Amino acid sequence: MSHVMNTYARLPVAFSHGRGSRITDIEGREYLDALSGIAVSTLGHAHPRLVSAISEQAGRMLHTSNLYRIREQEALADKLAALSGMEEVFFSNSGAEANEAAIKLARFYGHKKGIETPTVIVMEKAFHGRTLATLSATGNRKAQAGFEPLVSGFVRVPYDDLAAIKAVAEHNHSVVAVMLEIIQGEGGIHLASIEYQRALRQLCDEHGWLLICDEVQCGMGRTGKWFGYQHAGIQPDIATLAKGLGSGVPIGACLAGGKAAGLFGPGNHGSTFGGNPLVSTAALTTIDVIEQDGLLANAERIGALIRQLSAEALGGVKGVVDIRGHGLMIGIELDRPCGELVGKALAAGLLINVTADKVVRFLPPLIFSEQDARELVERVTPLIKDFLAA
Ligand SMILES: *Cc1c(COP(=O)(O)O)cnc(C)c1O
């Protein structure tokens, strides 16, 4: 019996090494990786520049402490600020912790305005993490069940529905922020409309609320821009990152600008590991490679190709409800639960995922090539057709 706590329904495979978009299991079988460890391995596996940057950094020093200045962290904060239009960055080790920082910032902002029980508006089907506050913000009753009492201070509304938020504003005067995934990942690849995003930004300004974008899954170039909100040309007050930020090295970040900048002082928040020299170097190198190798444009182009080829292969197939996404964040919604497709794909040498029970999800590394894309669609669409025909 395994001594690992039973928190994941694990597939019966273990990997030994990878290269680019391919990964090999301990028996020597090779797989095409269209999941990137859930949007984490931005540069694919064993990217030579990332390997050498991490190795060099490890040879100098891994960790100091946030009790001291960390040059690599300062450089990364400068870079992220420049890319995002934000002013300052707090570094964490995960997405949940980045969101914890965001929620704390929003509450702190509220208290400074004299609001004693600050409320954050959150969305149905949202996913923000597994810590108590982020679980409470998450819109999935199954994930919350058994962990009550949940953290208070959240009000939930339907996604992509401005009227619902306006209705809350009418009777609730303790709202301090709205928290939104521009594309909901775990919830089933749902996209907020551009008009909604712009109107929401305006509504937040009118009420003095912070707009928090959880970019943990859709950020770091996955949708073809650095951040999902940049497609609508809006600027949130807080944005959170993790998953793809370090291309496999655990690092998260909470970025603040506008009204949310300059709020925290020493003692208000912290992290022992956050933004240490090793993880900051990994993130800096990831960003550098994305820029030098044109991976934003690649994500946009290859993602569009996967959606187009999928639509061609699955067009008219009964049981296919929708094919949607942006860049390399893609969902194929079926009319029935389809979790068993993950095992079938694995047996066929493909790493994919199913989320929200019915949505086949692709989150390939940003280095995915046209050939990878064609191979993915050629191999996965027959599995979907067979499954629906059975
Ligand atoms: C994965 C995810 C999180 C949680 O990140 P962890 O690193 O697992 O804590 C939060 N928000 C979104 C949108 C995510 O996809």
Side-chain angles (χ1 to χ4, degrees):
M1 204 182 77
S2 170
H3 293 283
V4 177
M5 204 177 276
N6 191 24
T7 55
Y8 280 85
R10 294 172 200 272
L11 292 156
V13 61
F15 300 103
S16 133
H17 60 278
R19 191 82 184 171
S21 60
R22 312 282 153 161
I23 190 163
T24 305
D25 72 15
I26 54 176
E27 261 129 42
R29 279 193 73 209
E30 195 185 83
Y31 302 78
L32 175 62
D33 186 357
L35 188 60
S36 319
I38 318 184
V40 169
S41 312
T42 307
L43 306 181
H45 301 282
H47 192 286
R49 283 199 47 208
L50 184 60
V51 171
S52 74
I54 292 173
S55 308
E56 270 172 42
Q57 184 59 52
R60 281 196 297 277
M61 61 182 176
L62 291 172
H63 180 80
T64 53
S65 163
N66 284 306
L67 296 172
Y68 312 103
R69 289 183 57 181
I70 299 173
R71 281 195 311 168
E72 298 80 4
Q73 183 187 116
E74 290 173 8
L76 177 59
D78 288 349
K79 189 72 203 179
L80 286 173
L83 297 176
S84 66
M86 305 300 248
E87 284 160 55
E88 48 181 36
V89 188
F90 172 83
F91 290 101
S92 66
N93 314 291
S94 68
E97 287 171 278
N99 285 332
E100 285 279 341
I103 294 163
K104 281 180 70 175
L105 256 182
R107 287 183 168 201
F108 206 68
Y109 169 77
H111 280 277
K112 290 216 157 167
K113 290 209 298 185
I115 297 174
E116 303 213 329
T117 53
T119 300
V120 178
I121 296 180
V122 292
M123 305 295 152
E124 288 174 5
K125 301 200 180 86
F127 184 79
H128 298 301
R130 299 283 194 167
T131 61
L132 273 174
T134 59
L135 179 67
S136 305
T138 288
N140 179 345
R141 270 306 300 158
K142 263 197 245 163
Q144 293 170 339
F147 301 106
E148 298 83 358
L150 297 175
V151 173
S152 61
F154 297 102
V155 167
R156 195 168 307 284
V157 296
Y159 188 66
D160 206 18
D161 182 345
L162 198 72
I165 297 183
K166 285 184 175 163
V168 171
E170 272 179 25
H171 62 85
N172 189 327
H173 302 292
S174 62
V175 174
V176 293
V178 178
M179 191 163 180
L180 174 78
E181 293 159 87
I182 298 294
I183 301 181
Q184 289 185 328
E186 300 308 302
I189 314 291
H190 299 290
L191 290 77
S193 73
I194 298 281
E195 308 80 70
Y196 169 78
Q197 293 176 47
R198 290 182 182 154
L200 179 59
R201 174 68 273 182
Q202 206 182 334
L203 191 67
C204 287
D205 288 338
E206 284 164 16
H207 289 275
W209 302 340
L210 303 178
L211 178 59
I212 304 172
C213 286
D214 179 344
E215 295 264 341
V216 169
Q217 190 161 149
C218 66
M220 291 312 294
R222 180 149 293 282
T223 66
K225 289 197 186 283
W226 285 105
F227 305 104
Y229 61 79
Q230 292 173 331
H231 292 284
I234 60 164
Q235 186 66 35
D237 303 288
I238 298 176
T240 55
L241 300 174
K243 293 204 164 88
L245 176 56
S247 198
V249 172
I251 175 171
C254 174
L255 287 57
K259 300 187 286 290
L263 290 174
F264 279 171
N268 290 135
H269 200 47
S271 169
T272 297
F273 292 129
N276 87 7
L278 180 76
V279 300
S280 296
T281 296
L284 271 170
T285 307
T286 300
I287 292 170
D288 207 45
V289 174
I290 292 174
E291 283 183 328
Q292 290 201 353
D293 292 359
L295 296 184
L296 297 183
N298 192 65
E300 180 87 53
R301 187 172 70 86
I302 299 298
L305 180 66
I306 292 172
R307 286 197 307 282
Q308 180 209 321
L309 294 174
S310 301
E312 282 167 19
L314 296 172
V317 173
K318 204 163 159 282
V320 178
V321 174
D322 193 19
I323 298 171
R324 58 179 178 257
H326 201 158
L328 291 172
M329 193 166 177
I330 298 167
I332 301 178
E333 183 174 339
L334 306 186
D335 68 352
R336 66 201 78 167
C338 57
E340 66 189 74
L341 276 171
V342 175
K344 291 192 163 139
L346 186 75
L350 286 177
L351 303 189
I352 61 157
N353 172 251
V354 165
T355 191
D357 292 338
K358 298 177 183 175
V359 183
V360 178
R361 178 171 53 164
F362 306 141
L363 297 165
L366 269 54
I367 50 125
F368 226 56
S369 69
E370 186 173 324
Q371 194 200 317
D372 292 333
R374 291 187 186 279
E375 191 178 326
L376 169 65
V377 177
E378 271 164 27
R379 287 163 66 187
V380 82
T381 51
L383 297 177
I384 295 175
K385 281 190 201 166
D386 287 351
F387 168 76
L388 289 170

